[in-house]
Amino acid sequence: MSKRPSSPGSGEDRLIARHFRPLARHPGAFALGDDAAALTPPPGCDLVLTTDGVIAGVHVFPDDPADAIARRALRVNLSDLAAKGAKPAGFLLAIALPANIGDDWLAAFARGLGADADRYDCPLLGGDTDRTPGPLSVSITAFGTLPTGTMVRRSGARPGDVLVVSGTIGDAALGLKLRQNPGTGRRLAEDARSHLLARYLLPEPRTGLAETLRVHASAALDVSDGLAGDLAKLCRASGVSAQVDVEKVPLSDAARALLSTEPALLERALTGGDDYEILAAIPAGKIESFRAGAAAAGMTVTAIGRVEAGDGAPQFTGPDKRPLAFDRPSFSHF
Amino acid sequence: MSKRPSSPGSGEDRLIARHFRPLARHPGAFALGDDAAALTPPPGCDLVLTTDGVIAGVHVFPDDPADAIARRALRVNLSDLAAKGAKPAGFLLAIALPANIGDDWLAAFARGLGADADRYDCPLLGGDTDRTPGPLSVSITAFGTLPTGTMVRRSGARPGDVLVVSGTIGDAALGLKLRQNPGTGRRLAEDARSHLLARYLLPEPRTGLAETLRVHASAALDVSDGLAGDLAKLCRASGVSAQVDVEKVPLSDAARALLSTEPALLERALTGGDDYEILAAIPAGKIESFRAGAAAAGMTVTAIGRVEAGDGAPQFTGPDKRPLAFDRPSFSHF
């Protein structure tokens, strides 16, 4: 539309060559010198496809570090792949850059992206770079592989299944709260504060859990919109209900420290989102084998409740054995 | 970040259910009810992956019809797949919606998207929906399949190859000119004006050419940044030069009519972009077989020149046999 003239070897070509080509070492990326990428799936495998984006001012703060924005954008997609039982195979990057983004920012962004592409063995395969009059937008499409027909769905949970979560719940939502309201947690020790802020800025996709989930889970998803809301989604998709024992929900020491002084934040921890932990339903007979698989992968998993028959909303039961009522069971941008 | 509370079954879920779920009939889309999609590639095939987006105010006019924006966003990706010799297999849609986008707009958008998904046999597999404080942004990632290792590259052109293009060149760039400058082409007949405007608004991906390209072409790309600039890219990637006979470049009757009154617009036609035609290099010995394949697919192709040895910029030779010099050989958003 409002195109600007350029000579062959345009600014876009130079930007890609300088910042992104060094990341594109996969043979199917063709060094970002073609119109498309090629991926040869292993025989007998499905491709698992997911796309998730971050927009400055919506999903990240505009002044978050460039490398963290890049890593977050990739990691939220890797979290989806892990929850579905898929092994990362590569990703495409679509980035829209406002005019105030300069070369240093892009260099840091590419450095963060490359570090995580290596760390999670998920190479950059291609992409699309544009200018935008709006905020920075980073949209990643990630590909994973798994044996045909074995993707872990949301919809397979059955009454009697054990509900498990990876890692700890609520850190990111509490970290966001600390960032938004500097008055929160004034008596919190500095290392606890840093832990929560870091958990918000940079999720840890549970890639190592993918294989054992694929073998054992009857249903799974990653917790991005809050444990309560995402459990409700899993239950609706599976046509079941669930019971969660709040005392069993794994909390970090930092979260416990904050909740001990501000207990009303428990709801925020259980509903606030951005955990990027995995919530799964595991048949009771497979739970020990699942635990062993998780332990072998160096992953912490915790049983928090059970899938039950029925179509009511999942119940979270507190220490007094009475169900909690949440004011805001889940978060949405809409 | 600035999340708004919602009950389970959020506004985003309802928006997706109302507008996009009816399009997601592919079994691997899981009715848009999961975190990811699954695609089973045909045995012995590669996946070809491409991503291209449209941002309102950059690639489309904000007041372009919603259905045309949807179709354009899908078609520019289908054009890439066609140029690479791949058969469409499906796509993911990442859409960022400003607050002023309402339900009627989304209904029209989904209608256009669904019509083209059916027309080109390229089903919606999944996606991501967000609100944005910026302009409308539609980013599509499309997947195609072809026998392993047979993707048509930019880099395979060899001296002696015949350069061919599909369809007609320059219509879209001239249509954009008419739209931007109402003074242009004042004496142009109404049907010619409509033709050029329509060719800008809605490209025609040459999906039908994919198979014969895959079998015959030594190199190909789709012409999105102008014939001159994209030929230069193909030549650079292949380490060759080229000679184009400008009189052979296929022009529509409408383009001829406009150029007859405003001959200076020839450069615009050859460099302006948005053609979404295919430019390919075909070994001389395969040209008849390629033509037959194109004709069988109902596609028009025209030989416009030859690939030559050397690494200089491709030359466009005019009726006087002297090379044209372009002020602006290609367009770029950067």
Side-chain angles (χ1 to χ4, degrees):
Chain A
M1 237 197 73
S2 54
K3 289 181 166 179
R4 290 197 297 128
S6 76
S7 51
S10 68
E12 181 179 2
D13 291 341
R14 285 193 296 276
L15 185 160
I16 292 168
R18 182 177 309 164
H19 298 298
F20 296 120
R21 185 161 303 150
L23 276 58
R25 297 186 301 267
H26 186 285
F30 306 120
L32 307 184
D34 215 303
D35 308 86
L39 197 59
T40 307
C45 277
D46 282 354
L47 263 289
V48 174
L49 317 168
T50 187
T51 183
D52 228 331
V54 303
I55 299 172
V58 181
H59 308 90
V60 293
F61 290 89
D63 60 348
D64 278 340
D67 65 318
I69 292 177
R71 298 168 81 182
R72 182 182 180 87
L74 180 56
R75 288 177 178 208
V76 297
N77 283 282
L78 293 171
S79 179
D80 274 326
L81 292 182
K84 303 291 101 181
K87 181 179 177 322
F91 70 100
L92 301 179
L93 167 73
I95 185 167
L97 300 168
N100 66 345
I101 294 275
D103 219 51
D104 288 351
W105 191 97
L106 278 167
F109 181 91
R111 198 161 54 236
L113 195 64
D116 272 4
D118 287 348
R119 176 173 180 166
Y120 296 104
D121 200 11
C122 188
L124 175 66
L125 294 172
D128 183 31
T129 310
D130 281 306
R131 288 289 180 193
T132 177
L136 171 79
S137 159
V138 183
S139 181
I140 282 182
T141 301
F143 313 101
T145 59
L146 42 64
T148 296
T150 64
M151 187 181 111
V152 181
R153 302 284 311 280
R154 284 187 185 175
S155 57
R158 294 293 167 260
D161 286 354
V162 180
L163 286 173
V164 298
V165 292
S166 62
T168 56
I169 292 294
D171 294 325
L174 297 175
L176 174 59
K177 178 82 178 167
L178 293 181
R179 186 151 175 187
Q180 286 173 327
N181 301 355
T184 303
R186 252 171 305 195
R187 283 170 297 172
L188 201 60
E190 200 41 53
D191 60 341
R193 176 181 296 275
S194 316
H195 172 84
L196 297 176
L197 288 169
R199 285 273 286 164
Y200 171 71
L201 186 63
L202 211 51
E204 287 281 350
R206 302 306 183 182
T207 308
L209 267 189
E211 176 65 12
T212 192
L213 281 168
R214 195 179 66 69
V215 173
H216 298 100
S218 52
L221 46 59
D222 71 329
V223 181
S224 55
D225 294 333
L227 177 63
D230 285 328
L231 174 57
K233 285 180 199 168
L234 186 145
C235 285
R236 276 199 302 277
S238 298
V240 297
S241 187
Q243 190 72 242
V244 172
D245 183 345
V246 170
E247 285 186 299
K248 291 187 179 158
V249 173
L251 300 174
S252 68
D253 291 344
R256 283 187 194 284
L258 180 55
L259 292 178
S260 71
T261 60
E262 305 193 31
L265 286 176
L266 176 63
E267 172 165 343
R268 172 72 77 128
L270 297 175
T271 65
D274 289 318
D275 294 292
Y276 296 102
E277 297 293 353
I278 289 172
L279 169 67
I282 311 287
K286 295 184 176 175
I287 190 75
E288 287 316 313
S289 172
F290 170 74
R291 279 184 193 284
M299 297 277 144
T300 306
V301 292
T302 307
I304 61 167
R306 269 190 193 269
V307 176
E308 300 194 334
D311 57 6
Q315 291 212 317
F316 282 68
T317 309
D320 57 1
K321 306 297 169 203
R322 275 194 290 194
L324 303 187
F326 297 125
D327 289 339
R328 302 170 171 188
S330 178
F331 283 79
S332 162
H333 290 286
F334 284 78
Chain B
M1 234 197 75
S2 54
K3 289 182 166 179
R4 291 195 298 127
S6 76
S7 52
S10 67
E12 182 179 1
D13 292 341
R14 286 193 297 274
L15 185 160
I16 292 168
R18 183 177 310 165
H19 297 298
F20 296 121
R21 185 161 303 150
L23 277 58
R25 297 186 300 267
H26 186 284
F30 306 121
L32 307 184
D34 215 303
D35 307 86
L39 197 59
T40 308
C45 277
D46 282 355
L47 263 289
V48 175
L49 317 167
T50 186
T51 184
D52 228 330
V54 303
I55 299 172
V58 181
H59 308 90
V60 294
F61 290 89
D63 60 349
D64 278 341
D67 65 317
I69 291 176
R71 299 168 81 181
R72 182 183 179 87
L74 180 55
R75 288 178 178 207
V76 298
N77 283 283
L78 293 171
S79 179
D80 274 327
L81 292 183
K84 303 291 102 180
K87 181 178 175 321
F91 71 100
L92 301 179
L93 167 72
I95 184 166
L97 300 168
N100 66 345
I101 293 276
D103 219 51
D104 289 350
W105 192 97
L106 278 167
F109 181 90
R111 200 162 50 237
L113 195 64
D116 272 4
D118 287 347
R119 176 174 179 165
Y120 296 104
D121 199 11
C122 187
L124 175 66
L125 295 172
D128 183 31
T129 311
D130 281 307
R131 288 289 179 193
T132 177
L136 171 79
S137 160
V138 183
S139 182
I140 283 182
T141 301
F143 312 100
T145 59
L146 42 64
T148 296
T150 64
M151 187 181 110
V152 182
R153 303 284 312 280
R154 284 187 186 176
S155 57
R158 294 292 167 261
D161 286 354
V162 180
L163 287 172
V164 298
V165 293
S166 63
T168 56
I169 292 295
D171 294 324
L174 297 175
L176 175 58
K177 178 81 177 168
L178 293 181
R179 187 151 175 187
Q180 286 173 326
N181 302 356
T184 303
R186 251 172 304 195
R187 282 170 297 172
L188 201 60
E190 199 41 52
D191 60 341
R193 174 180 297 273
S194 315
H195 172 85
L196 297 176
L197 287 169
R199 286 272 286 166
Y200 171 70
L201 186 62
L202 212 51
E204 287 281 349
R206 302 305 183 183
T207 308
L209 267 189
E211 176 66 12
T212 191
L213 280 168
R214 194 179 65 70
V215 173
H216 297 100
S218 51
L221 46 60
D222 71 328
V223 181
S224 55
D225 293 334
L227 178 62
D230 285 328
L231 174 56
K233 286 180 197 166
L234 187 145
C235 286
R236 276 200 302 278
S238 299
V240 297
S241 187
Q243 189 73 242
V244 172
D245 183 344
V246 170
E247 285 186 299
K248 290 187 180 159
V249 173
L251 300 175
S252 68
D253 291 344
R256 283 188 193 285
L258 180 55
L259 292 178
S260 71
T261 60
E262 306 193 31
L265 287 175
L266 176 63
E267 172 164 344
R268 171 73 77 126
L270 296 175
T271 65
D274 289 317
D275 293 292
Y276 297 102
E277 297 292 353
I278 290 172
L279 169 67
I282 311 288
K286 293 184 178 177
I287 190 74
E288 286 316 314
S289 172
F290 171 73
R291 279 184 192 285
M299 296 277 143
T300 306
V301 292
T302 307
I304 60 167
R306 267 189 195 271
V307 176
E308 299 193 336
D311 58 6
Q315 291 212 317
F316 282 68
T317 309
D320 58 1
K321 305 296 166 202
R322 278 194 288 193
L324 303 187
F326 298 124
D327 289 339
R328 303 169 169 187
S330 178
F331 283 78
S332 162
H333 289 287
F334 284 79

